Amino acid sequence: METCSNCPRNCGVNRSVRKGFCGVSENPVIAKAYLHMWEEPCISGSNGSGTIFFSGCNLKCVYCQNYNISQELNGVEISNERLCEIILDLQNKGAHNINFVNPSHYIKLLSKITKKLKHEGKLNIPTVYNTSSYDSAKALEKAEGAFDIYLADLKYIDNSIANKYSGASDYFQVAAEAIYEMVRQAGEPRFNNKGIIEKGLIIRHLV
């Protein structure tokens, strides 16, 4: 992350030295990690989704329900090794999936970690990229194979409203390109015999 291009802000800062637009450095900062029972039913199922909430954000939504995490940056900085431990601990607790919430500013790190754990045979449940969709399509393309499920908000079509409420005057074009890449990778949703999604894209609209 010496010249960060994780997200569409492309702020280019060296996140080992100073924080980017997202408000965090290169090390993962997490606010919560637990079995989340209140995602979409096909995500949480009966056991819960192994959810990890990342602090910081590349949007500045005035209505954010996680404002203390995304913009006030509440959370704990951890090592990459500790993040791996948390992922595997959630899997061992019976999580249906590992759910990365607000991952855009850590996409390269999460891609590397997730691919490594899959390659080593340690991670054998689906991974969820739970995003505002203000994502770099190029970064998503390079992350192919890391994430099985895309849970993507589509917040705006009108960029003037996107700029007013989230500080992103190019939101729709960026999000549309990112979602096309998610579709290319994940395709149509696929469910197991218990109705839990294993692969695919779910889009949530802001109402």
Side-chain angles (χ1 to χ4, degrees):
M1 298 192 191
E2 290 183 357
T3 52
C4 187
S5 60
N6 275 247
C7 84
R9 298 288 181 184
N10 282 317
C11 55
V13 303
N14 183 345
R15 282 173 59 188
S16 66
V17 176
R18 64 187 180 97
K19 297 174 180 179
F21 180 92
C22 56
V24 289
S25 61
E26 65 179 350
N27 296 323
V29 180
I30 66 169
K32 292 185 283 187
Y34 64 111
L35 292 177
H36 186 13
M37 302 301 298
W38 304 279
E39 284 285 13
E40 282 67 20
C42 65
I43 298 284
S44 289
S46 57
N47 296 349
S49 175
T51 305
I52 303 171
F53 283 85
F54 291 93
S55 302
C57 190
N58 64 1
L59 290 180
K60 301 300 179 186
C61 302
V62 298
Y63 49 80
C64 182
Q65 64 180 355
N66 293 321
Y67 186 89
N68 62 326
I69 298 172
S70 64
Q71 295 180 51
E72 293 183 342
L73 308 175
N74 290 348
V76 177
E77 184 173 314
I78 60 173
S79 66
N80 296 349
E81 291 76 18
R82 178 60 185 143
L83 180 56
C84 291
E85 290 174 358
I86 290 170
I87 290 170
L88 297 179
D89 181 58
L90 289 168
Q91 176 176 256
N92 292 337
K93 288 180 177 177
H96 292 295
N97 44 64
I98 299 299
N99 184 358
F100 300 118
V101 178
N102 196 23
S104 304
H105 47 298
Y106 287 118
I107 184 171
K108 294 178 182 178
L109 172 64
L110 294 177
S111 172
K112 181 179 179 180
I113 286 174
T114 302
K115 287 179 179 179
K116 179 176 184 290
L117 291 176
K118 287 183 174 184
H119 178 74
E120 293 173 348
K122 295 177 180 177
L123 181 61
N124 49 46
I125 57 175
T127 50
V128 182
Y129 190 86
N130 188 339
T131 177
S132 69
S133 300
Y134 196 61
D135 284 287
S136 162
K138 184 179 292 185
L140 286 168
E141 184 179 354
K142 290 180 179 178
E144 184 169 3
F147 311 111
D148 303 293
I149 301 158
Y150 287 100
L151 185 57
D153 294 344
L154 184 58
K155 294 177 178 287
Y156 311 99
I157 290 177
D158 187 324
N159 280 332
S160 65
I161 297 175
N163 189 49
K164 181 178 180 180
Y165 293 113
S166 295
S169 60
D170 57 351
Y171 177 86
F172 181 68
Q173 288 82 359
V174 168
E177 187 177 354
I179 287 171
Y180 274 118
E181 177 58 25
M182 295 175 201
V183 171
R184 186 191 71 79
Q185 290 185 28
E188 293 291 328
R190 187 179 72 221
F191 303 86
N192 66 18
N193 57 12
K194 295 182 179 179
I196 305 299
I197 190 169
E198 295 183 328
K199 192 172 179 63
L201 166 69
I202 297 173
I203 296 179
R204 301 184 291 199
H205 295 288
L206 178 65
V207 177

